[in-house]
Amino acid sequence: MSSTWTLPDDLTVPEPVEFFPAAGEKLPQHWSKCFGCGDDQPAGMAMSFRAGNGLEVTGRLEVAKKYQGGPGVIHGGILSTAFDEAQGMACMALGSPVVTGHLEIDFARPIPLGSVLEFRARIDGVVRRKVYTSAEAVIVEGPTADPNTVVGTSRGLFLTITPEHFAKTKEFVDGEPTSPFGTSSV
């Protein structure tokens, strides 16, 4: 099932910022304590990302046993989190932090535990502070691996923010928030 998601008529497609990594290069974490990609998050998903062409990124997720929902398959909430992370990482091409405003997922096929998922996410365009994204996931390793069969898709709306956005919550964590490219932002 798919929604009636429609991109706005005044959408523009920006160029990646000059300091966005080149295609194939690893993307830096946006924050080390992030559940999706952070190295300082032992219970996290440990996703990794590489820059693609233009406004695209590719990410990977190993579907661990701890991500089980139904018997032997990934939990839908974990898949949703991975899509959120992938599309948020694509937004790094803009050079400013973002937050998720809207996210929708279409679950197409069961994803077995032990699989490795590849996410392909992109910026479809922007309107002022609104960033429209889309992504799909395929199984590249595991029992039902087929890189040509999409197992889920997602569309998102992200909002650009200033680094000060997290100033009110930084007291609740050890350390300070970082900018999208690993330097202190507050």
Side-chain angles (χ1 to χ4, degrees), residues 71-186:
V73 297
I74 195 171
H75 189 286
I78 293 294
L79 187 59
S80 298
T81 301
F83 271 120
D84 183 37
E85 190 70 20
Q87 289 168 96
M89 292 297 277
C91 292
M92 290 178 88
L94 299 175
S96 65
V98 298
V99 292
T100 310
H102 176 83
L103 187 71
E104 57 184 62
I105 314 294
D106 289 318
F107 304 94
R109 297 186 185 246
I111 300 166
L113 301 178
S115 299
V116 175
L117 289 174
E118 181 177 275
F119 293 83
R120 298 175 198 135
R122 73 208 52 80
I123 295 173
D124 296 319
V126 300
V127 176
R128 295 173 296 285
R129 290 184 50 226
K130 296 177 181 178
V131 184
Y132 293 85
T133 63
S134 59
E136 61 274 343
V138 296
I139 301 172
V140 293
E141 294 177 30
T144 61
D146 179 357
N148 298 312
T149 300
V150 173
V151 295
T153 59
S154 178
R155 288 149 308 277
L157 169 64
F158 290 79
L159 302 169
T160 59
I161 58 168
T162 63
E164 293 76 29
H165 177 86
F166 293 108
K168 293 178 185 175
T169 57
K170 77 175 188 174
E171 66 191 70
F172 298 110
V173 296
D174 297 325
E176 294 192 11
T178 58
S179 80
F181 297 98
T183 58
S184 181
S185 63
V186 285

Side-chain angles (χ1 to χ4, degrees), residues 20-21 25-31 37 49 89 92 180-182:
F20 189 67
E25 290 183 6
K26 187 174 180 179
L27 291 179
Q29 300 170 27
H30 61 93
W31 189 47
C37 69
F49 294 90
M89 292 297 277
M92 290 178 88
F181 297 98

